[in-house]
Amino acid sequence: MKDRYLSVDQVAELLGTTTRFPRRLIEERRIRYVKVGRHVRIPESAVEDFISSRTVEPLRRPRPSYRRAA
C-alpha cells in the first residue's frame, strides 16, 4: 500500500486549521508521523484515521409528536 506523506502545512490546509494545530497533535503524539531528517511528514492514512476516530454521529431520536389541545 502506497501512502502519501503530507507536510504540516498540507495537513493544516486539509483540516482547515492553522499549522499550529497539526504541530500540537504531533507534539502530544495524538497522530502518527514520520521524521525524515529534520522534516516531519504525516501519512495521509493517519489524517484519515484521526478524522474518522473523532467523527461524531448524530443521535437518532424519535420525533416528538405534538397533539392539539381539545
Side-chain angles (χ1 to χ4, degrees), residues 22-66:
R23 288 187 192 282
R24 192 174 79 224
L25 294 177
I26 291 166
E27 181 183 333
E28 295 172 357
R29 298 194 182 224
R30 294 170 48 199
I31 194 166
R32 288 184 291 121
Y33 65 94
V34 178
K35 293 277 292 193
V36 183
R38 65 184 182 119
H39 302 283
V40 175
R41 297 292 181 253
I42 301 169
E44 196 168 29
S45 62
V47 177
E48 291 169 2
D49 292 344
F50 178 79
I51 292 170
S52 66
S53 69
R54 281 151 179 83
T55 300
V56 179
E57 296 296 329
L59 294 176
R60 296 181 186 215
R61 297 182 187 172
R63 290 182 117 172
S65 61
Y66 297 103

